[in-house]
Amino acid sequence: MAESTSKPTEQESTNGTIIVVEDDRNIAELLDLYLRNAGFRVLQAGDARRGLELAGQEHPVLVVFDIGLPGPLDGLQACRELRKTSDVPIVMVTARDDELDRVLGLELGADDYVTKPFSPRELVARVRAILRRSESGRRAGDEPLTVGSVVVDTLRRDVRADGVEVQLTAREFDLLAFFAENPGIVLSRQQLLDGVWGSGWYGDERTVDVHVRQLRRKLGDALPLATVWGVGYRCG
Ligand code: CA
């Protein structure tokens, strides 16, 4: 499979670089077109190795991984690999429901996913929503929020548990910030989906549980996050 990297466009791209890792050329070209029209610089990679290489070199604002990729690494493994070194937002593209189960089950740290067939317009909307969330997080921050012995600085997007910095994905951060902004309140999974993922997000409530598990794993006892049986979660 030939790998390809599209040339940076002549058009001024103001919204940053997105890396599209997708071996299906038709889909890749379509995403390229739509994302460029939305003002992004797009770099394409036909396999995971090249995608990771570009992600390391090009300072992307977001990476799109198809799951079914040729070569030694599939999109799931590539996502996990990238998460070791970067908290750049990641969108997974799944072809089948069983792939989606793996995305949700493996706790890869992806921020969102779309299932094929999807409309490029839908993907662009998802991308915008993710980037808007990370941006508003940067702008809206006032004083850092404290919950338990976790301090959430939404201005710097920095999290400390007992004074030690903890690396979270963009989505995990947004979820934690949402909990911290609503201390002591029981939040249903649907409220969390609406508040963190956005009302335009058509996802499964299991995705909330997956992200909660990650927060618990990373923050441990520092985060007072209780499961409210049959309802959702309460933090603080
Ligand atoms: Ca593929």
Side-chain angles (χ1 to χ4, degrees), residues 1 22-29 44 46 66 68-69 116:
M1 176 59 63
E22 165 64 89
D23 59 310
D24 182 322
R25 292 301 303 274
N26 291 332
I27 295 177
E29 288 298 328
Q44 291 182 35
D66 181 34
L69 292 170
K116 288 179 182 173

Side-chain angles (χ1 to χ4, degrees), residues 87 144-147 149-178 180 214-215 218-220 222-223:
D87 63 356
L145 303 164
T146 301
V147 58
S149 38
V150 175
V151 178
V152 186
D153 185 336
T154 53
L155 188 63
R156 303 152 70 102
R157 288 185 74 80
D158 156 305
V159 176
R160 279 162 202 279
D162 294 318
V164 179
E165 187 166 356
V166 178
Q167 297 298 327
L168 299 181
T169 67
R171 186 77 83 184
E172 288 160 9
F173 181 91
D174 291 339
L175 179 60
L176 176 63
F178 193 79
Q214 285 294 84
L215 288 181
K218 293 183 176 180
L219 298 166
L223 183 69

Side-chain angles (χ1 to χ4, degrees), residues 181-194:
E181 284 159 2
N182 296 283
I185 298 172
V186 178
L187 298 163
S188 70
R189 289 175 179 79
Q190 190 58 51
Q191 284 172 322
L192 291 164
L193 281 178
D194 290 345

Side-chain angles (χ1 to χ4, degrees), residues 209-226:
D209 301 331
V210 169
H211 284 76
V212 163
R213 272 208 297 281
Q214 285 294 84
L215 288 181
R216 283 178 169 151
R217 187 178 67 75
K218 293 183 176 180
L219 298 166
D221 293 339
L223 183 69
L225 176 54

